[in-house]
Amino acid sequence: LLWQAALGCRAAQVLMQYCILANHYWFLVEAVYLYKLLIGAVFSEKNYYRLYLYLGWGTPVVFVVPWMAAKYLKENAEGGGAGLCVPHAVFFPPHQINLLIFMRILKVILAKLRANQKGYADYKLRLAKATLTLIPLFGIHEVVFIFATDEQTTGILRYVKVFFTLFLNSFQGFLVAVLYCFANKEVKSEMKKKWQLWKLDH
């Protein structure tokens, strides 16, 4: 029973590290997908769905498997449960790319709003709204604290980091669903139709 508990604990730890990494790489998939929609002329009509799946679910495996092997070897060498975390640098690439895509998309949005200044007198407000909307989708909040590791942050800064990280990570899916699904005019129209049909049936 003891070895089963230890095995279950290790499996849970590996799954947790994989899910954390997958979350970070799906931020990148969302950013690439949105960039493809906005800068559609650069891309062919080819379906990238499978590539997105490989990037979102496959890339974390590339990092988790070597980490798992290194952890296993370290524990055997030291004869105990030596702690070994996935290197912090693994989280840099998706967020660096996301930050670049984020800035590029804001540049495109600003150019389009400026080109239609007569139609959009409040284009600065629209740009601010677009910026705030893209932050949870791209995981830009992660960039703020990516260089401030748990070891480097102390006192109030540590509490601020933990609060924002946990809050935004916990509600990221909800924020994206509200902003990009439930606030969408087409989705609201379909939901209204379904509601009216349901009322008629009952």
Side-chain angles (χ1 to χ4, degrees), residues 3-201:
W3 70 268
Q4 286 179 333
L7 187 65
C9 186
R10 283 185 173 87
Q13 193 178 14
V14 169
L15 184 63
M16 185 188 75
Q17 293 292 342
Y18 173 79
C19 289
I20 290 169
L21 270 172
N23 183 51
H24 287 268
Y25 277 89
W26 273 102
F27 281 139
L28 177 59
V29 172
E30 289 167 353
V32 170
Y33 179 73
L34 188 61
Y35 185 77
K36 179 184 176 295
L37 289 178
L38 286 172
I39 323 291
V42 178
F43 294 87
S44 66
E45 292 298 315
K46 189 180 173 182
N47 189 356
Y48 286 89
Y49 181 71
R50 189 171 291 178
L51 185 64
Y52 296 147
L53 288 177
Y54 289 145
L55 181 60
W57 295 121
T59 310
V61 176
V62 175
F63 298 110
V64 169
V65 170
W67 165 77
M68 193 170 57
K71 184 173 174 62
Y72 176 76
L73 293 170
K74 187 177 173 73
E75 284 179 357
N76 283 351
E78 296 186 5
L84 186 66
C85 296
V86 171
H88 203 65
V90 169
F91 298 99
F92 291 172
H95 294 298
Q96 286 173 333
I97 296 166
N98 272 15
L99 188 60
L100 292 172
I101 293 173
F102 175 73
M103 290 164 67
R104 173 74 176 133
I105 286 174
L106 286 183
K107 190 178 174 183
V108 170
I109 291 169
L110 181 61
K112 286 183 178 181
L113 289 172
R114 276 183 176 167
N116 296 297
Q117 273 190 52
K118 289 179 182 177
Y120 303 118
D122 59 341
Y123 81 94
K124 287 182 181 177
L125 183 65
R126 284 173 178 264
L127 181 65
K129 187 181 173 184
T131 305
L132 290 172
T133 305
L134 289 172
I135 286 171
L137 181 70
F138 283 16
I140 297 300
H141 57 277
E142 294 283 351
V143 178
V144 177
F145 293 112
I146 201 157
F147 296 104
T149 60
D150 290 338
E151 295 78 22
Q152 293 171 327
T153 51
T154 54
I156 300 291
L157 182 61
R158 188 182 181 91
Y159 290 116
V160 169
K161 181 197 169 186
V162 169
F163 173 77
F164 276 102
T165 304
L166 290 176
F167 179 81
L168 291 169
N169 282 352
S170 299
F171 290 98
Q172 192 256 350
F174 174 73
L175 287 170
V176 170
V178 169
L179 294 169
Y180 289 92
C181 183
F182 300 118
N184 184 284
K185 286 180 183 177
E186 290 176 21
V187 173
K188 285 196 286 188
S189 175
E190 285 299 316
M191 286 175 72
K192 194 175 178 181
K193 283 179 191 174
K194 293 286 181 186
W195 174 248
Q196 286 171 346
L197 285 170
W198 184 84
K199 282 202 298 186
L200 286 170
D201 289 340

